[in-house]
Amino acid sequence: MGRMDGKTALITGAARGLGAAIATRFAEAGAEVIINDLSAADASSRGEALGGYGVSADVSDPASVAAMFETIRARSGKLDVLVNNAGISGIEGDNEARERIARIAEAHERAARGEAVDAEETLLSAITDVTDADWARMMGIHVNGTFHCSRAAMTLMRPRESDGSIINMSSVMGTFSRGSGTAYSTAKAAILGFTRALAHELAADSIRVNAIAPGWIHTDMTDPLEPMHPMLMAQTPQGRLGEPDDIAWAAVYLACEEAKFVTGQTLSPNGGWYMSQ
């Protein structure tokens, strides 16, 4: 028997990256996996490959989320696990980002040698560079998306007879942050507060709510940060960046019976990076 036999799990933003790794491990553990992605084709392809199905939705749009859950109601009739994974870095489509990141990495190398470095040289973007649209998009996908999906999930999770689990994807940048990722760090910190509040609210319904705050992980999202990888690995006691499976196994634990007494918590697989800062 698998650890998740009989469970139905929705993972948002799961056509690639951390979401895809989580979905793969859930399926191997016996769960029926539902893959959400903006791309209907990508969601369906990944879902079918894992023996489940895909459903397209923009998690920042409450109407789109409501339609997604109606599809899940019609096809599965229930939901045991929700992983609010959909997210962005904020530099998607920014052709100059890699060049700025290379300059930041070089500035950190000079600082490590004891050379004087202007603080602005270590910033990916200053708060004055963050537009209203940038801020709204970051909050809309991360914070609003987590809220929309969690709220909609109640129509399927509350009536169940078995325990439920909601897993919200935060980041180590939501627990410890520096300048240059203000919007991203704020969104990820907000998710931690939402997790604790919702855990209190849903405890009486036997629905556990926890968060995962990944450290630096090899994914498509962190590929543009490649010039900084040597620095990040040097800051990490384990001497490496994490792999998607390092997060996927944490999600399996939080979704399963082994974590039945765990709620309102943040699990942060980061190789020791946090304690080294």
Side-chain angles (χ1 to χ4, degrees), residues 73-91:
R73 181 191 304 280
R75 293 195 61 170
S76 297
K78 70 185 184 80
L79 186 68
D80 301 287
V81 180
L82 167 65
V83 182
N84 286 307
N85 169 77
I88 59 172
S89 68
I91 59 174

Side-chain angles (χ1 to χ4, degrees), residues 23-63:
T24 297
R25 292 305 182 189
F26 278 12
E28 291 174 351
E32 176 192 39
V33 294
I34 307 165
I35 304 297
N36 158 261
D37 197 80
L38 274 174
S39 166
D42 290 347
S44 294
S45 175
R46 177 71 65 175
E48 291 170 6
L50 296 175
Y53 61 92
V55 57
S56 175
D58 177 354
V59 299
S60 70
D61 178 358

Side-chain angles (χ1 to χ4, degrees), residues 13 15 20 22 51 58-59 64-66 83 88 99 102 114 135 142 164 181 187 195 203 254:
I22 292 169
D58 177 354
V59 299
S64 183
V65 169
V83 182
I88 59 172
E99 181 180 341
W135 183 268
H142 289 275
T195 296
L254 290 174

Side-chain angles (χ1 to χ4, degrees), residues 42-131:
D42 290 347
S44 294
S45 175
R46 177 71 65 175
E48 291 170 6
L50 296 175
Y53 61 92
V55 57
S56 175
D58 177 354
V59 299
S60 70
D61 178 358
S64 183
V65 169
M68 173 172 67
F69 276 88
E70 282 305 311
T71 298
I72 295 170
R73 181 191 304 280
R75 293 195 61 170
S76 297
K78 70 185 184 80
L79 186 68
D80 301 287
V81 180
L82 167 65
V83 182
N84 286 307
N85 169 77
I88 59 172
S89 68
I91 59 174
E92 293 84 357
D94 184 346
N95 295 326
E96 298 179 359
R98 188 175 288 270
E99 181 180 341
R100 294 200 304 275
I101 290 165
R103 290 200 300 269
I104 292 170
E106 191 273 334
H108 278 283
E109 289 176 2
R110 287 191 284 113
R113 294 195 298 267
E115 299 177 23
V117 174
D118 191 315
E120 290 189 0
E121 293 183 78
T122 64
L123 294 179
L124 181 59
S125 63
I127 191 170
T128 50
D129 297 322
V130 179
T131 67

Side-chain angles (χ1 to χ4, degrees), residues 164-204:
S165 175
I166 295 175
I167 302 168
N168 298 323
M169 197 62 67
S170 180
S171 166
V172 73
M173 298 306 289
T175 60
F176 175 97
S177 186
R178 289 172 175 162
S180 96
T182 305
Y184 182 85
S185 296
T186 301
K188 290 304 192 181
I191 287 171
L192 296 179
F194 176 79
T195 296
R196 291 189 293 270
L198 192 61
H200 274 284
E201 179 181 339
L202 300 183

